């Protein structure tokens, strides 16, 4: 069997949603990345189907939200049904918006996992830097070794990989991939975690559920609403409308063995059993189907690995945590794991950042998985044992309301760390911006061209840190003077390499200024020229200055109010490459800004 050696900065094992998101992030950086997967093709049908608000924001940061919106179904309305004790049938208790709070500019969307994977694959093709290597099987793993070879020191993780080709399924073309770092996104039965004997916290349960994606024929009035249905006698069901006229049915079963068929197999009767149970649950309404896209039966098992990292190897997605699909969180948490991780790994590989930042992956993501386990436990209990009545504390609606921010993905708040600088001086300058949390987005207006855009559109995922300067009203006494002093101080620290503006010939820190004066009253070239980032070939960049002006079209003029920023005092906000707030300071605090970056940056003057 032929064997060869190859070298890569980053090896990703598994091309599901977590692995594909990792590859999309890695493609933004000047690093080498390999992505291998045992399967011959992407997920064909079924599996995950919900994209929460935060995941939509992340997809939008890669320019992919519009592609999702064209294919997906919106999850706009929800209904709760319970038993009518007099008739023995179900009755609607209430209906309301699925996401009752204004949590994001995006609503939750519904689209099958395979379609989401294809969108990410197409993005990788367009970038041309990383591609999915199909039918590639990892067979052996060697941890960082002590060797005299310099290559082994630089690429310490060795993974022996073979191609599985041909009708006989026999492996050939063995290759040893030498990697600086490995991200294991290889699913529930993770090969990587088995090799390393990673311990997990396990919550055992006997609960078994069935799922089917069908095009239904029914007179049930809420078939196009997301529904939580409890019919009494242990019958409960969740209904989720999907793309292409599909509707997903989740049914609580009282027993059964684990099986995951790829499609309907009526000879075993399981699909018909699911249909029979769905019909009983929906009484007095009728239900039948002519087309089933996918179905499965599975027990619920909750597992959370104790360590998200073993030396140079990281775990993400189902390789790190498993749970029920009831809350629609699996795909979302998985993609958000690697969105949190890869920019850190890439920055370390570039040599500009202290590897200590990699410790924050465990401290930031595992608490989110712990909350997922808590939420999943409570939601499943609500479906199995709870009530749909309005005043029930253990009912489905009550659980979903309590965890609304978590379900939308926008409540994630990372704790203080080397990347989240929490100090007393930060808190006073803004009331509503929370350290460690993703920065909410509001409409701002381009000072130069008057274009109205969401601030998040300027925080796209390209690896840049952002310094957001909110000076306030430039016409208020002292504001422009303080801004001018800060501009000179910032420029001096950048010129003296105390604050980086670029590393390895790429932009590191992008500066955006958002003032609150009326746009027409400000002469940009006269007052704001210091914030035009100058390029020797392209000249001044006039796209970095914006205004929070309510006189423009749309819901403009809300940013300062919503962020809680005083228009006389202003503030500075640093957003990490993943849009989470890392540091907040007063408009004069260039020294504090320098201290923040100095905690984790190497070679601050490299160009």
């Amino acid at each position: 069997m032929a064997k060869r050696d190859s070298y890569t900065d980053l090896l990703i094992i598994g091309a599901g949603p977590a692995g594909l998101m990792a590859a999309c992030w890695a493609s933004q950086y000047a690093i080498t990345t390999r992505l291998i997967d045992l399967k011959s093709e992407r997920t064909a049908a079924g599996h995950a189907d919900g994209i929460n608000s935060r995941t939509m924001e992340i997809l939008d940061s890669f320019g992919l939200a519009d592609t999702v919106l064209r294919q997906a179904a919106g999850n706009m309305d929800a209904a709760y049904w319970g038993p009518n004790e007099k008739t023995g049938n179900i009755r609607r208790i209430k209906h309301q918006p699925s996401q009752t709070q204004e949590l994001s500019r995006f609503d939750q969307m519904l689209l099958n996992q395979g379609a989401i994977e294809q969108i990410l694959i197409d993005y990788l093709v367009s970038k041309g830097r990383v591609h999915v290597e199909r039918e590639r099987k990892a067979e052996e793993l060697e941890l960082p070794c002590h060797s005299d070879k310099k290559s082994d020191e630089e690429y310490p993780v060795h993974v022996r990989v073979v191609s599985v080709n041909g009708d006989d399924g026999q492996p050939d073309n063995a290759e040893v991939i030498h990697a600086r770092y490995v991200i294991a996104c290889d699913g529930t039965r993770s090969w990587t975690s088995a090799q390393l004997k990673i311990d997990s916290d396990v919550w055992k349960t006997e609960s078994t559920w069935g799922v089917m994606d069908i095009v239904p024929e029914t007179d049930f009035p809420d078939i196009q609403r997301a529904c939580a249905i409890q019919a009494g006698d242990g019958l409960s069901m969740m209904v989720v409308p999907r793309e292409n006229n599909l509707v997903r049915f989740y049914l609580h079963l009282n027993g059964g063995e684990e099986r995951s068929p790829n499609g309907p197999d009526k000879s075993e009767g399981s699909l018909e059993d699911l249909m029979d149970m769905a019909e009983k649950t929906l009484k007095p309404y009728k239900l039948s189907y002519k087309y089933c896209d996918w179905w499965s039966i599975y027990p619920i098992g909750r597992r959370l690995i104790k360590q998200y990292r073993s030396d140079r190897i990281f775990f993400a997605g189902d390789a790190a945590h498993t749970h029920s699909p009831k809350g629609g969180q699996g795909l979302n948490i998985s993609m958000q794991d690697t969105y949190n991780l890869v920019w850190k790994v890439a920055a370390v590989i570039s040599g500009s950042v202290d590897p200590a930042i990699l410790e924050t992956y465990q401290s930031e993501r595992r608490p989110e998985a712990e909350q997922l386990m808590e939420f999943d436990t409570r939601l499943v209990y609500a479906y199995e044992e709870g009530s749909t009545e309005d005043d029930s504390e253990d009912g489905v609606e009550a659980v979903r309301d309590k965890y609304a921010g978590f379900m939308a993905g926008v409540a994630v708040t990372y704790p203080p760390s080397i990347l989240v600088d929490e100090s007393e001086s930060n808190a006073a300058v803004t009331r509503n911006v929370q350290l460690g949390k993703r920065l909410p987005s509001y409409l701002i207006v381009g000072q130069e061209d008057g274009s109205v855009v969401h601030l998040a559109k300027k925080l796209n995922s390209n690896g840049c840190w952002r310094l957001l300067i909110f000076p306030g009203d430039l016409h208020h006494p002292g504001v422009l003077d303080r801004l001018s002093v800060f501009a000179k101080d910032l420029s001096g620290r950048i010129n003296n390499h105390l604050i980086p503006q670029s590393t390895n010939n790429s932009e590191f820190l992008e500066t955006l200024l958002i003032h609150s004066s009326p746009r027409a009253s400000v002469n940009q070239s006269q007052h704001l020229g210091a914030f035009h980032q100058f390029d020797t070939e392209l000249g001044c960049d006039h796209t970095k200055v914006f205004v929070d002006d309510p006189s423009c079209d749309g819901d403009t003029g809300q940013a300062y109010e919503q962020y809680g920023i005083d228009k006389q005092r202003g503030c500075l906000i640093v957003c990490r490459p993943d849009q989470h707030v890392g540091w907040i300071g007063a408009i004069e605090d260039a020294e504090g800004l320098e201290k923040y970056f100095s905690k984790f940056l190497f070679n601050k003057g490299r160009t």
Side-chain angles (χ1 to χ4, degrees), residues 478-583:
V479 169
L480 193 56
D481 290 339
R482 287 198 301 272
L483 179 61
S484 299
V485 170
F486 171 73
K488 292 178 181 178
D489 197 352
L490 177 66
S491 179
R493 292 173 192 271
I494 289 174
N495 291 335
N496 290 317
H497 310 314
L498 301 174
I499 296 176
Q501 195 168 23
S502 63
T503 57
N504 295 334
N505 298 316
S506 63
E507 190 172 16
F508 176 85
L509 180 66
E510 181 182 25
T511 301
L512 303 175
L513 185 143
I514 304 104
H515 68 86
S516 64
S517 308
R519 173 174 170 256
S521 70
V522 173
N523 183 329
Q524 173 164 307
S525 61
Q526 178 181 354
H527 296 309
L528 305 176
F531 294 95
H532 298 167
Q533 298 187 11
F534 186 79
D535 185 282
T536 55
E537 295 181 1
L538 302 178
C540 288
D541 185 348
H542 294 271
T543 65
K544 308 292 187 180
V545 180
F546 301 88
V547 55
D548 185 34
D549 189 343
S551 65
C552 298
D553 293 337
D555 295 326
T556 58
Q558 298 184 19
Y560 272 73
E561 180 181 357
Q562 294 293 336
Y563 292 140
I565 300 172
D566 190 308
K567 293 183 179 181
Q568 298 181 25
R569 298 179 61 191
C571 77
L572 306 173
I573 297 174
V574 170
C575 283
R576 311 182 328 179
D578 61 0
Q579 302 176 339
H580 283 252
V581 177
W583 179 84

Side-chain angles (χ1 to χ4, degrees), residues 55-71:
T55 301
M56 286 297 298
E57 293 176 357
I58 291 171
L59 291 170
D60 189 53
S61 74
F62 289 99
L64 298 175
D66 287 343
T67 307
V68 173
L69 292 171
R70 284 194 295 269
Q71 299 182 37

Side-chain angles (χ1 to χ4, degrees), residues 64-215:
L64 298 175
D66 287 343
T67 307
V68 173
L69 292 171
R70 284 194 295 269
Q71 299 182 37
N75 184 15
M76 305 303 179
D77 215 1
Y80 297 89
W81 290 70
N84 185 326
E85 296 181 359
K86 294 182 179 179
T87 65
N89 297 325
I90 58 171
R91 62 186 178 92
R92 183 197 293 128
I93 296 172
K94 67 183 299 184
H95 67 81
Q96 63 185 33
S98 292
Q99 198 160 284
T100 57
Q101 306 173 40
E102 192 69 32
L103 299 173
S104 168
R105 69 191 193 281
F106 290 105
D107 291 312
Q108 179 180 341
M109 306 304 296
L110 299 164
L111 184 64
N112 73 82
Q113 179 176 321
I116 298 166
E117 289 180 8
Q118 189 61 55
I119 289 169
L120 298 175
I121 291 168
D122 291 343
Y123 179 82
L124 291 175
V125 171
S126 72
K127 296 291 290 185
R129 300 190 62 176
V130 186
H131 69 278
V132 183
E133 301 175 39
R134 295 288 183 190
E135 297 182 290
R136 299 284 280 164
K137 180 181 180 181
E139 281 196 335
E140 296 178 9
L141 173 64
E142 185 176 342
L143 291 172
C145 56
H146 302 286
S147 171
D148 294 334
K149 293 182 180 180
K150 185 177 180 180
S151 60
D152 285 341
E153 294 176 1
E154 295 179 353
Y155 301 89
V157 187
H158 303 170
V159 181
R160 186 175 184 275
V161 176
V162 296
S163 295
V164 181
N165 298 311
D167 295 334
D168 58 2
Q170 293 300 312
D172 57 14
N173 299 326
E175 174 188 10
V176 176
I177 300 177
H178 302 250
R180 296 183 193 272
Y181 292 93
V182 172
I183 303 177
C185 305
D186 48 353
T188 303
R189 297 175 178 84
S190 169
W191 172 87
T192 314
S193 63
Q195 304 307 300
L196 298 173
K197 297 180 173 58
I198 301 297
D199 291 332
S200 298
D201 293 321
V202 179
W203 291 260
K204 293 184 178 180
T205 177
E206 301 299 325
S207 180
T208 304
W209 288 72
V211 58
M212 57 183 179
D213 291 340
I214 63 174
V215 177

